Amino acid sequence: MKKLLAMLLALTMVLGVAPAFAEEAETYELALVTDVGTIDDKSFNQGAWEGLVQYAEENGISHKYYQPPQQSDEDYLATIKLAVDGGAKIVVTPGYLFEVAVYEAQSLYPDVHFILLDGEPHDADGNYETKENTAPILYAEQQAGYLAGYAAVKDGFTKLGFMGGMQVPAVIRFGYGFVKGADDAAAEMGLEAGSVTVNYTYTGSFNATPEAQSMAAAWYNDGVEVIFGCGGAVGNSVMAAAEAAGTYVIGVDKDQSGESETVITSAMKGIGASVYQTIAAYYAGEFPGGVTTVKDASNDGVELPMETSKFMSFTQEDYDAVYAKLASNENGICDAIPTNPTEDNGQPATAADIATSVVAVTIIE
C-alpha cells in the first residue's frame, strides 16, 4: 500500500496535478496588515483589528492579520501580496504609512478591495489617485484632541503634558487640538494667561521605551498632573510613569481605561466602527470606493468615552454641549482648530506656533 501511494504521488508530481487526497490550502477572506505596531498595541492597529474581527465573527467569515518584516513600502506591498495570495477579498491597512503601497496594490489587484485608514493612496512622487476598489478613511484627530484638552482643563487640571510618538500628521493633529481645546476651556473659565501650561514633545517612535517612561516620570516629578500619551505603545510608558507617581493619563485612539487606573479618559477615533461599517458596506454591495470619507464630530467619528471616564467635575452635560458645538461647527469652532501648520520650508511647525490666549506651551526636544 505504501509503495502504491508513493507511486501515485510521484506520478502526480510528474504530470503537474495535485493528488486528490491533498489538503486544500486554507484561505482567509478578510485580512489586516499592521504597520509599525501589532494587533495588541492597545491603540490604532488593535482598534482596526477589533472592528474586522467583530464583523468576521458575527458573519462567520475567515480572517487573518499579517505583520510586515520591516517598515518600508516594499515590505508593505509584499505583505499585502501574502494576504491576497491567501484569499483576501478585503485588506485593511491601518495608517498613512500604507499610502504608497495601497496606491500600487489597488492596480495590481483590481478584484481586491482595500480600506486605508488615516491616509489616501499616492505614488512616491505625491501623485494621488483613489480607485473604485479603495476606500480611504480620514479622522479629525484635532477634534478628538480638542475634546481631551478641553475636558482636562474644565476638570481642574492646569499642568498638562503631550507626549506624541512619531511626528506624523495624525499625531500632530491630536496635539494641536489638545492645546487648542485646553486654551479655549481656560479662556471660558477666565483663567489668567500662563496659568495653564503644556509640556509638548514627540518621542520619535510608537514604541514603549525606558526613555519615554523616564521623561514622563520627570514631567510628573516636576508637577505635571496629566499627560496625553499619543503614540501607540508610547502610552504604556506614560501609564507606567503615572502609576509610579500617582498621577494621570489621557489615552488615545480607543478607550484605554482598561489598561491602567491612571487613564482618566481617551481621545478616541471610531476606528473599529469605521472598519466594521465599511466591510458591511462591501457585503451589501455599497462599498464606498473611489472617495475619501472623513470621520469627525458631525458623523460621530471622534469622541471621549464618557461612560468610563474618571472626571471629577466635567459632566456629561458639559461634554454634550462642547460636542454639539464641534458637530455643528458653531461660530467656526472647528475651523479655528489648527490641523498641520507648516513653516516656510514646508516642515511641520511646532505647537508653540499655535495662537493661545491662556495656555503656555513648552517644547521639549
Side-chain angles (χ1 to χ4, degrees):
M1 184 64 181
K2 288 183 179 179
K3 287 183 179 180
L4 178 59
L5 286 173
M7 289 174 63
L8 285 172
L9 181 59
L11 180 60
T12 56
M13 290 176 68
V14 170
L15 295 177
V17 295
F21 50 82
E23 255 186 50
E24 284 188 22
E26 197 165 5
T27 59
Y28 301 92
E29 194 165 312
L30 300 179
L32 179 141
V33 179
T34 64
D35 59 357
V36 297
T38 63
I39 58 162
D40 58 355
D41 64 356
K42 310 297 190 296
S43 189
F44 198 74
N45 284 302
Q46 183 170 335
W49 176 242
E50 288 173 352
L52 182 151
V53 170
Q54 181 185 353
Y55 188 89
E57 292 184 346
E58 287 178 1
N59 295 277
I61 299 173
S62 58
H63 53 285
K64 182 178 181 178
Y65 77 90
Y66 300 79
Q67 187 170 348
Q70 299 292 333
Q71 180 185 328
S72 71
D73 293 334
E74 293 77 13
D75 284 297
Y76 294 148
L77 191 58
T79 308
I80 288 173
K81 183 180 186 302
L82 284 178
V84 173
D85 290 345
K89 292 182 179 179
I90 298 179
V91 178
V92 178
T93 55
Y96 88 104
L97 293 173
F98 284 102
E99 289 177 324
V100 173
V102 170
Y103 176 88
E104 298 291 341
Q106 65 184 353
S107 295
L108 289 171
Y109 313 111
D111 296 328
V112 177
H113 289 70
F114 297 92
I115 301 173
L116 173 58
L117 307 178
D118 259 4
E120 297 174 287
H122 63 78
D123 65 16
D125 296 321
N127 299 305
Y128 285 79
E129 182 182 13
T130 300
K131 293 188 177 293
E132 292 297 319
N133 60 328
T134 299
I137 300 174
L138 301 179
Y139 302 88
E141 291 92 358
Q142 69 275 11
Q143 293 183 15
Y146 182 96
L147 289 168
Y150 184 93
V153 172
K154 285 285 188 175
D155 204 47
F157 294 99
T158 59
K159 297 184 183 299
L160 318 178
F162 174 82
M163 187 170 289
M166 294 174 66
Q167 193 172 355
V168 299
V171 176
I172 291 170
R173 288 193 290 268
F174 267 125
Y176 289 173
F178 183 67
V179 172
K180 181 61 175 172
D183 191 60
D184 280 3
E188 287 180 14
M189 296 166 70
L191 302 181
E192 294 182 2
S195 61
V196 177
T197 60
V198 178
N199 282 7
Y200 196 104
T201 197
Y202 300 101
T203 66
S205 80
F206 292 126
N207 299 320
T209 64
E211 292 78 13
Q213 184 173 335
S214 294
M215 178 179 286
W219 286 9
Y220 286 132
N221 187 57
D222 197 39
V224 170
E225 301 159 326
V226 59
I227 296 175
F228 182 9
C230 182
V234 170
N236 297 108
S237 297
V238 178
M239 291 173 203
E243 288 167 1
T247 47
Y248 302 100
V249 177
I250 293 171
V252 73
D253 286 337
K254 64 188 298 290
D255 185 356
Q256 295 187 313
S257 60
E259 301 306 311
S260 171
E261 285 297 318
T262 65
V263 177
I264 59 169
T265 194
S266 300
M268 291 174 56
K269 302 192 292 191
I271 301 166
S274 54
V275 169
Y276 182 99
Q277 292 161 2
T278 309
I279 294 174
Y282 166 82
Y283 285 104
E286 301 171 351
F287 186 75
V291 296
T292 299
T293 301
V294 178
K295 299 288 189 178
D296 58 19
S298 70
N299 53 26
D300 297 321
V302 297
E303 65 177 313
L304 300 183
M306 291 300 291
E307 288 185 1
T308 59
S309 293
K310 304 181 182 75
F311 294 122
M312 294 172 287
S313 57
F314 184 71
T315 66
Q316 182 70 48
E317 185 179 358
D318 295 330
Y319 175 74
D320 291 343
V322 68
Y323 198 92
K325 291 179 180 179
L326 290 175
S328 65
N329 194 22
E330 182 178 309
N331 297 322
I333 184 174
C334 298
D335 303 328
I337 305 173
T339 54
N340 188 14
T342 57
E343 298 171 345
D344 292 338
N345 61 8
Q347 297 301 310
T350 68
D353 295 317
I354 299 173
T356 58
S357 60
V358 178
V359 171
V361 179
T362 300
I363 304 298
I364 311 295
E365 300 292 345

